[in-house]
């Protein structure tokens, strides 16, 4: 786990409740989601079906519906729900005093 | 310890077997399923409606993931079993998973028969067997134009109809002289061919395929006579063969299928076979009814009780192509010992033939009118002596014994053991007793408890009549479709309660109407948001998080995640200054594609999300506002040049179109609304296939509505003729407001009108002047809140967060907000 690092990205209030924003990284975008009860989740912002931007989907419960073809993903596990098969990577999130940090492995990111 | 039951295959037969088994002997087995397809169990009979677009995959799932979890079943998806070791009693999958079994059920189904001609392996040649085939066809339908279907049987014709519905040019090739010759006599086959051709599908009978032509992918099909039919897609639907390779390798007795006794047990007493791969009594089966019977027998054997045995029965054939009704059952070959009764009604396209032997029905062919199929089948099954009613038999049940033509009475007079659902072998008595015993009040309830009408669905009408007979008027078939899985209420009920209880926020609706989820789903939230916007225009705060991305960012998302932008051009008119501004924007932002749309607008495609506000800022400077090409709202009013220029124009159609558009832009509607105004009956603005259209005539303005030219094609209905432009505007606005207040979310005007009735709409918005005025006033009131240009709002900074990443990490140099 060399190089694992918490990266501050902003506060909870930067994201609308039941909404999402994206964060740019060298490996592509990460979607950061806020549920109705202020839980924060992060998953890769790329639907495994046809590459839809998940952070632009409708957020309901701890799940998001992809804007392109309505696949639904659990924000907790990254797994596709219902009849669809697939998964997106989940990214560790830490929230302290409403500030959000994402846990990313920079060494891994540089190596890739 | 529970015994281990392993099942190879997860089609309809093993799925049904498990349902019976779990009911008869819950907990007896520790169950594992290997499914070569990477998904759950679904209704394979309904693939044709998925192909034609009438249903989605979600709607045909039989057992969702939750069902396997709830029943403690391990399901390996995408695992094909490669070997059975009968000594060790294990099976091994292609991914290396090995499972031990006490009892094994082989349900490997069938494989499509591929005719061995050159070119059969070219890309673009498909079979029609599972969801992957359907997905591949849908993709091919998007890009290709011509399809050839080889095989004019049930599957081939359903595939052809589906592909045609998806917009392809389709040719069906059939080796025999008439279509479906195994199920239909030549006369019915001929009528079927005419009906298929009437849908624009080419049919070639006696057509023998010599080879499939193409270099890198399929380019056409060459027949024996040298004709080449061009094609970008070839579907082979010439038949299926039991999939027996695995069983053969394991040393089980195999003939055409895996040989079983009438208890579905193979030559190895610990191994059963069910479904299309099984051969029982020397027969193999492909229709669902006998497969479900196998499932029942196998479940009884595994549960260790009962003495059910498989008995052969004739199964009726029905074609699942909307608008073509045919039904056939039994033996209909001519013979010296046989008589026949034939009824033909050429103008109505009806053909009925009964084949009799010794005063009993042995074969039935019905085309064009199949309502009496179940009754004839019942007589045939019981071998009833029909001599007494021979003269009127062919006219059907309604003409017998003085029974009235009332369809309810016909169903009421059916015997308790009359079969209602052929797929599942469910009789009238079983349905009626289950409705009573379980207190069922909905169609879904009856389907869940009895399976009746849960497979192909053609007996839904009969089941609904039985419900009405059993529970009376309290059964209301119209009120049973819930909005989504978050509620049991239908759209109409929700709309009514929003008004009745003065619910003015989404949380209030969910609380008061007892939503089953914490904050809804992507189906109900946009619907509720629309209903609240429409019903409380001055009080409700639009919830952007409940809007689909297009309406949230006011542009259309494209397949690669970029957006397209369409500025409003009132009535389709533009000028040099506007065109110059568009050209400048295209250059400045390096927009990759510019296209003229069918609604007389200019579409700029491939714009990065981050660039949208800047694009709008530049367009705004030239006077453009949003064209709402992304909205469930007023899209475009298409016009012709009318009396301004055209030598035939009767009125100022351009002026009226612009006036309507300026009056109505910005309003949200249940689904998109496209309008057109034509200056004379030559109809150059194509107003008669629009949601609302106007045809100008010398004496005034003919107002049309409820047209469609998308998934469905439908000419408009005429609402009426009015004399002045003012009156035309008032009627159109009132019509739109009535639609806004009453329709279900995503229901286009033509579907709403079909539900409400054209006469009723006419009465409310044309004839009843007071009501017309009230609708008009409510629309005008709502417009005072709606007519705000969303683009200029966002240029001034509204919803900034939508267009910028929240942060950038690592070497990315893009500035964060």
């Amino acid at each position: 786990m060399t190089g694992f690092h918490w990266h501050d990205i902003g506060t909870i209030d930067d994201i609308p409740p039941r909404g999402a924003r994206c964060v740019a990284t060298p490996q592509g975008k990460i979607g950061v989601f806020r549920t109705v009860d202020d839980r924060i989740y992060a998953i890769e912002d790329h639907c495994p079906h046809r590459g839809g931007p998940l952070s632009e989907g409708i957020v309901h419960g701890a799940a998001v519906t992809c804007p392109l073809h309505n696949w639904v993903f659990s924000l907790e596990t990254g797994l596709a729900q219902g009849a669809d098969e697939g998964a997106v990577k989940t990214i560790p999130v830490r929230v302290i005093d409403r500030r959000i940090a994402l846990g990313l492995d920079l060494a891994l990111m540089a190596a890739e | 310890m529970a015994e281990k039951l392993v099942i190879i295959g997860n089609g309809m037969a093993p799925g049904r077997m498990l349902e019976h088994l779990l009911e008869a002997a819950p907990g007896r087995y520790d169950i594992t399923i290997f499914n070569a397809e990477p998904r759950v169990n679904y209704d394979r009979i309904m693939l044709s409606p998925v192909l034609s677009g009438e249903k989605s995959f979600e709607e045909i799932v039989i057992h969702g993931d939750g069902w396997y979890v709830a029943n403690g079943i391990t399901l390996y998806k995408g695992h094909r079993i490669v070997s059975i070791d009968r000594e060790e009693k294990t099976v091994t999958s292609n991914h290396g998973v090995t499972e031990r079994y006490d009892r094994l059920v082989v349900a490997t189904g069938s494989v499509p028969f591929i005719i061995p001609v050159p070119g059969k392996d070219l890309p673009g040649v498909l079979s029609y067997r599972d969801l992957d085939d359907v997905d591949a066809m849908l993709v091919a339908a998007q890009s290709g134009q011509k399809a050839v279907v080889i095989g004019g049987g049930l599957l081939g014709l359903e595939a052809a109809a589906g592909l045609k519905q998806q917009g392809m040019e389709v040719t069906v090739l059939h080796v025999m002289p008439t279509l479906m010759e195994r199920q239909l006599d030549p006369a019915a086959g001929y009528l079927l061919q005419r009906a298929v051709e009437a849908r624009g599908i080419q049919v070639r009978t006696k057509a023998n395929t010599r080879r499939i032509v193409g270099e890198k992918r399929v380019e056409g099909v060459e027949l024996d006579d040298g004709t080449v039919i061009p094609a970008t897609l070839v579907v082979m639907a010439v038949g299926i063969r039991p999939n027996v390779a695995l069983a053969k390798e394991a040393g089980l007795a195999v003939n055409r299928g895996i040989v079983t006794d009438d208890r579905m047990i193979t030559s190895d007493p610990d191994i059963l076979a069910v479904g299309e791969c099984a051969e029982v009594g020397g027969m193999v089966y492909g229709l669902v009814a006998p497969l479900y019977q196998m499932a029942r027998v196998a479940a009884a054997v595994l549960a260790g009780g009962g003495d059910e045995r498989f008995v052969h029965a004739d199964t009726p054939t029905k074609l699942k192509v909307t608008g073509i009704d045919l039904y056939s059952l039994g033996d209909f070959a001519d013979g010296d010992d046989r008589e026949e009764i034939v009824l033909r009604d050429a103008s109505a396209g009806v053909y009925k033939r009964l084949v009799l032997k010794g005063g009993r029905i042995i074969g039935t062919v019905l085309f064009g009118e199949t309502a009496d199929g179940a009754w004839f089948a019942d007589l045939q099954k019981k071998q009833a002596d029909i001599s007494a009613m021979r003269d009127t038999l062919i006219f059907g049940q309604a003409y017998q014994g003085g029974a009235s033509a009332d369809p309810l009475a016909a169903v009421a007079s059916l015997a308790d053991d009359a079969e209602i659902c052929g797929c599942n072998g469910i009789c009238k008595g079983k349905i009626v007793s289950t409705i009573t015993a379980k207190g069922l009040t909905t169609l879904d309830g009856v389907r869940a408890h009895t399976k009746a009408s849960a497979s192909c669905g053609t007996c839904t009408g009969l089941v609904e009549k039985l419900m009405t007979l059993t529970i009376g008027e309290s059964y209301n078939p119209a009120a049973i479709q819930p909005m989504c899985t978050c509620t049991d209420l239908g759209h109409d009920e929700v709309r009514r309660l929003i008004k009745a209880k003065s619910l003015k926020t989404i949380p209030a609706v969910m609380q008061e109407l007892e939503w089953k989820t914490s904050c809804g789903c992507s189906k109900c939230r946009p619907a509720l948001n629309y209903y609240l916007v429409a019903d409380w225009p001055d009080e409700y705060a639009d919830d952007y998080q409940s809007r689909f991305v297009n309406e949230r960012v006011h542009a259309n998302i494209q397949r690669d995640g970029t957006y397209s932008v369409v500025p409003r051009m009132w009535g389709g008119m533009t000028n040099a200054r506007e065109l110059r501004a568009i050209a400048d924007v295209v250059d400045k932002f390096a927009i990759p594609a510019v296209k003229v749309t069918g609604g007389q607008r200019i579409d700029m495609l491939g714009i990065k999300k981050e660039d949208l506000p800047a694009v709008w800022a530049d367009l705004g400077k030239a006077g453009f506002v949003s064209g709402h090409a992304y909205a469930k709202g007023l899209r475009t009013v298409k016009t012709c040049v009318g009396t301004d220029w055209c030598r035939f124009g009767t009125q100022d159609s351009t002026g009226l179109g612009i006036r309507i558009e300026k009056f109505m832009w910005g309003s949200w509607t249940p689904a998109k609304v496209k309008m057109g105004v034509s200056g004379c009956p030559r109809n150059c603005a194509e107003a008669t296939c629009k949601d609302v259209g106007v045809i100008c005539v010398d004496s005034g303005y003919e107002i049309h509505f409820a047209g469609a030219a998308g998934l469905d094609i439908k000419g408009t209905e005429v609402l009426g003729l009015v004399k002045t432009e003012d009156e035309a505007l008032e009627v159109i606005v009132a019509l739109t407001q009535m639609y806004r207040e009453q329709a279900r979310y995503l229901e286009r005007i033509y579907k709403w009108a079909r539900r409400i009735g054209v006469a009723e709409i006419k009465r409310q918005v044309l004839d009843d002047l007071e009501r017309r005025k009230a609708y008009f006033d409510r629309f005008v009131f709502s417009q005072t809140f709606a007519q705000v240009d969303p683009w200029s709002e966002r240029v001034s900074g509204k919803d900034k967060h939508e267009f910028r990443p929240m942060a950038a990490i690592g070497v990315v140099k893009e500035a964060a907000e």
Side-chain angles (χ1 to χ4, degrees):
Chain A
M1 290 293 276
T2 50
F4 180 89
H5 211 280
W6 289 108
H7 298 269
D8 182 274
I9 55 164
T11 80
I12 287 189
D13 306 294
D14 294 333
I15 310 174
R18 295 175 307 162
R21 301 279 304 269
C22 68
V23 170
T25 81
Q27 264 75 57
K29 286 177 176 165
I30 294 173
V32 186
F33 298 78
R34 176 178 174 186
T35 64
V36 71
D37 51 0
D38 282 353
R39 281 174 292 157
I40 303 291
Y41 295 99
I43 59 176
E44 61 181 314
D45 194 14
H46 186 90
C47 178
H49 175 224
R50 296 280 161 84
L54 294 172
S55 66
E56 300 181 31
I58 290 180
V59 181
H60 44 96
V64 64
T65 299
C66 179
L68 289 194
H69 306 97
N70 294 326
W71 282 38
V72 179
F73 292 89
S74 159
L75 298 173
E76 289 163 328
T77 64
L79 289 175
Q81 308 289 291
D84 297 319
E85 280 282 302
V88 288
K89 253 187 277 177
T90 59
I91 287 102
V93 175
R94 188 182 69 182
V95 180
I96 299 176
D97 293 339
R98 297 188 83 74
R99 287 210 72 84
I100 306 169
L102 301 184
L104 296 170
D105 192 335
L106 269 188
L108 189 67
M109 288 168 74
E112 273 178 5
Chain B
M1 215 177 87
E3 293 169 74
K4 283 227 53 154
L5 173 64
V6 171
I7 302 168
I8 306 173
N10 196 28
M12 298 177 71
R16 177 56 61 89
M17 179 191 78
L18 279 177
E19 287 181 13
H20 290 307
L21 179 60
L22 291 168
E23 199 180 302
R28 164 143 184 195
Y29 289 98
D30 175 6
I31 303 169
T32 303
I33 306 173
F34 289 91
N35 186 12
E37 277 190 69
R39 52 184 71 89
V40 293
N41 182 13
Y42 60 94
D43 189 345
R44 210 180 284 272
I45 312 176
M46 298 309 267
L47 281 176
S48 295
V50 173
L51 177 61
S52 66
E54 288 162 43
K55 282 200 188 295
S56 68
F57 176 68
E58 290 69 32
E59 290 177 85
I60 69 165
V61 167
I62 299 176
H63 299 136
D65 283 297
W67 185 84
Y68 297 95
V69 176
N71 288 294
I73 295 170
T74 310
L75 169 61
Y76 287 98
K77 299 181 199 171
H79 281 243
R80 198 164 41 78
I81 292 295
V82 289
S83 68
I84 303 172
D85 184 336
R86 288 166 55 203
E87 294 287 306
E88 296 292 320
K89 297 180 94 172
T90 60
V91 299
T92 303
S93 83
N94 58 337
H95 296 305
V97 173
T98 299
E99 282 278 343
R100 199 187 52 75
Y101 65 83
D102 294 307
R103 305 303 286 277
L104 177 67
V105 176
V106 181
T108 42
S110 60
V111 284
F113 182 71
I114 301 295
I115 48 173
V117 291
K120 69 183 165 54
D121 297 322
L122 282 172
V125 181
L126 297 172
S127 57
Y128 184 23
R129 184 69 201 133
D130 57 25
L131 187 69
D132 294 325
D133 295 328
V134 170
D135 281 342
M137 282 189 234
L138 288 174
V139 170
Q142 273 170 19
S143 51
Q145 306 85 35
K146 287 180 197 291
V148 167
V149 176
I150 305 180
L154 264 186
L155 269 187
L157 293 176
E158 290 184 10
L163 291 170
K164 178 76 197 171
Q165 201 122 328
Q166 293 296 340
M168 294 191 86
E169 212 174 282
V170 184
T171 305
V172 174
L173 304 180
H174 193 52
V175 173
M176 303 303 286
T178 58
L179 295 175
M180 287 182 70
E181 77 288 344
R182 284 172 57 200
Q183 293 91 4
L184 297 180
D185 58 14
Y190 165 77
L191 283 172
L192 175 61
Q193 181 171 344
R194 279 216 324 210
V196 169
E197 285 169 343
R199 323 184 129 232
I201 296 169
Q202 304 269 343
V203 177
R204 273 171 176 261
T205 53
K206 299 187 233 171
N208 224 333
T209 304
R210 180 188 288 163
R211 66 190 185 104
I212 294 169
V213 233
E215 289 285 317
K216 291 212 174 74
R217 52 169 295 118
V218 59
E219 287 162 22
V221 175
E222 184 183 319
L223 303 179
D224 262 356
D225 64 4
T227 324
V228 174
I229 303 165
T232 50
L233 170 70
V234 171
V235 178
M236 288 220 195
V238 288
I240 54 172
R241 283 200 302 207
N243 185 3
V244 296
L246 182 65
K248 207 175 213 169
E249 222 162 272
L252 294 173
V254 168
N255 194 10
R256 261 207 300 166
I258 304 167
V259 177
T260 74
D261 62 10
D262 59 0
R263 307 272 286 152
M264 306 317 296
I265 298 168
T266 66
S267 56
D268 179 331
D270 292 323
I271 303 181
L272 286 74
V274 297
E276 287 172 335
C277 65
E279 175 177 325
V280 50
M283 305 265 287
V284 292
Y285 294 88
L287 293 170
V288 72
L291 305 185
Y292 278 173
Q293 200 197 339
M294 294 180 193
R296 238 180 348 256
V297 173
V301 170
L302 289 172
D307 190 37
E308 290 210 41
R309 281 165 197 279
F310 185 89
V311 185
H312 170 82
D314 285 334
T315 306
T317 301
K318 294 167 217 161
L319 183 70
K320 283 178 302 304
V321 173
T322 310
I324 300 182
D325 294 322
L326 72 80
Y327 183 99
S328 93
L329 178 69
D331 183 354
F332 41 83
D334 291 323
D336 286 342
D337 55 346
R338 297 168 177 196
E339 297 174 78
E340 60 177 6
I341 309 175
V342 175
L343 172 77
R344 290 178 202 265
D345 181 344
S347 61
V350 171
Y351 170 81
K352 301 181 182 188
R353 175 161 173 250
L354 295 173
V355 181
L356 308 178
K357 187 175 171 180
R360 285 165 176 85
I361 302 177
I362 60 164
T364 306
V365 181
L366 305 176
F367 189 92
E369 197 184 285
T370 55
D372 281 311
W375 185 64
F376 290 132
D378 193 39
L379 293 174
Q380 181 165 341
K381 188 173 99 186
K382 290 182 183 146
Q383 304 199 341
D385 186 343
I386 49 83
S387 313
M389 52 183 172
R390 195 185 183 290
D391 290 349
T392 53
L393 182 66
I394 195 81
F395 299 115
Q397 189 182 17
Y399 287 86
Q400 311 307 323
S404 72
D406 175 4
L408 262 188
V411 176
S413 64
L414 282 176
D416 268 358
D417 62 349
E419 189 171 84
I420 300 292
C421 174
C423 293
N424 292 289
I426 309 297
C427 300
K428 177 185 167 187
K430 165 94 178 161
I431 297 172
V432 170
S433 63
T434 311
I435 292 171
T436 316
K438 308 258 180 198
L440 303 178
T441 55
T442 66
L443 185 62
D444 282 344
V446 174
R447 284 177 175 161
H449 285 97
T450 68
K451 305 289 172 204
S453 81
S455 292
C456 83
T458 47
C459 64
T460 302
L462 285 176
V463 174
E464 291 194 316
K465 288 193 186 78
L466 279 180
M467 298 190 67
T468 309
L469 282 170
T470 313
I471 57 181
E473 295 304 315
S474 64
Y475 172 63
N476 176 6
I480 52 170
Q481 189 64 42
M483 265 177 87
C484 63
T485 50
C486 301
T487 177
D488 295 328
L489 300 171
H491 283 269
D492 300 335
E493 193 75 340
V494 169
R495 287 212 81 165
R496 191 178 61 75
L497 289 167
I498 285 174
K499 292 296 273 187
K501 291 174 170 257
S502 284
L503 305 175
K504 295 181 183 176
T505 65
I506 289 180
V509 173
M510 292 183 175
Q511 184 61 34
E512 285 295 314
L513 306 186
E514 299 179 350
W515 239 243
K516 292 185 271 187
T517 50
S518 65
C519 61
C521 69
S522 60
K523 280 197 186 117
C524 60
R525 282 243 304 279
L528 292 179
N529 189 59
Y530 166 72
Y531 295 153
L532 294 165
V533 165
D535 288 343
W536 315 109
D538 51 338
E539 296 174 78
Y540 177 65
D542 201 326
D543 175 23
Y544 269 68
Q545 299 310 320
S546 295
R547 282 193 181 274
F548 180 63
V549 61
N550 285 358
E551 292 185 349
R552 215 165 58 229
V553 305
H554 294 274
N556 294 60
I557 194 165
Q558 303 296 314
R559 59 186 306 149
D560 62 353
T562 64
Y563 285 82
S564 79
V565 160
V566 181
R568 201 166 278 284
M569 285 179 175
W570 309 101
M573 295 294 286
T574 185
N575 55 47
R577 189 177 52 81
E578 287 185 350
L579 292 173
R580 213 168 271 125
I582 288 177
D584 287 344
V585 165
V586 169
D587 282 345
K588 178 169 168 189
F589 295 93
I591 294 171
V594 183
K595 185 166 191 323
V596 176
T597 73
Q600 301 180 334
R601 304 299 143 101
I602 290 176
D603 192 1
M604 288 165 266
L605 296 125
I607 302 175
K608 290 196 281 295
K609 193 182 186 191
E610 296 79 19
D611 286 343
L612 287 173
V615 166
W616 295 332
D618 283 8
L619 290 172
K621 281 178 210 149
F624 281 119
V625 297
S626 165
H628 290 93
Y630 48 81
K632 310 294 176 213
L634 177 72
R635 293 268 176 103
T636 54
V637 182
K638 188 174 180 176
T639 68
C640 69
V641 292
T643 43
D644 279 351
W645 298 95
C646 179
R647 65 203 163 102
F648 298 116
T650 61
Q651 309 280 357
D652 177 14
S653 52
T654 321
L656 176 57
I658 293 173
R659 189 172 163 198
I660 293 171
E661 193 163 344
K662 291 208 158 165
F663 200 89
M664 300 185 73
W665 73 272
S667 58
W668 299 103
T669 43
K672 61 186 167 186
V673 173
K674 296 178 174 181
M675 301 194 184
V677 183
S678 285
C680 79
R682 286 170 191 76
N683 192 17
C684 293
E686 294 159 348
T688 52
C689 63
K690 296 282 183 268
D691 295 293
V692 181
V694 179
I695 302 287
C696 300
V697 289
D698 277 328
S699 57
Y701 304 83
E702 196 174 71
I703 298 176
H704 290 240
F705 76 116
L711 273 175
D712 293 310
I713 298 180
K714 182 182 170 300
T716 44
E717 307 284 343
V718 179
L719 190 62
L721 182 75
V722 296
K723 288 203 170 55
T724 66
E725 221 184 82
D726 287 349
E727 208 183 346
L729 182 72
E730 185 175 293
V731 170
I732 289 170
V733 166
L735 167 69
T736 307
Q737 181 64 14
M738 181 177 174
Y739 166 63
R740 296 181 72 228
E741 291 176 12
Q742 297 189 0
R744 300 167 188 166
Y745 187 62
L746 301 185
E747 185 178 46
R748 293 288 290 268
I749 288 190
Y750 72 101
K751 290 191 174 166
W752 166 70
R754 191 160 62 202
R755 198 158 57 75
I756 304 293
V758 171
E760 177 60 21
I761 294 169
K762 205 170 179 167
R763 190 178 70 75
Q764 295 201 21
V765 304
L766 195 75
D767 304 341
D768 185 339
L769 296 182
E770 210 168 298
R771 204 184 275 235
R772 182 207 293 184
K773 184 73 174 44
Y775 277 129
F776 181 85
D777 289 344
R778 285 203 291 279
F779 184 87
V780 170
F781 177 69
S782 130
Q783 282 298 76
T784 56
F785 308 96
Q787 278 194 334
V788 181
D789 176 33
W791 287 358
S792 67
E793 278 187 303
R794 275 147 194 83
V795 169
S796 351
K798 184 174 178 180
D799 288 341
K800 237 180 348 197
H801 63 83
E802 279 289 354
F803 304 96
R804 291 243 154 247
M806 183 173 176
I809 298 176
V811 295
V812 178
K813 284 288 181 281
E814 278 177 32
E817 186 183 55

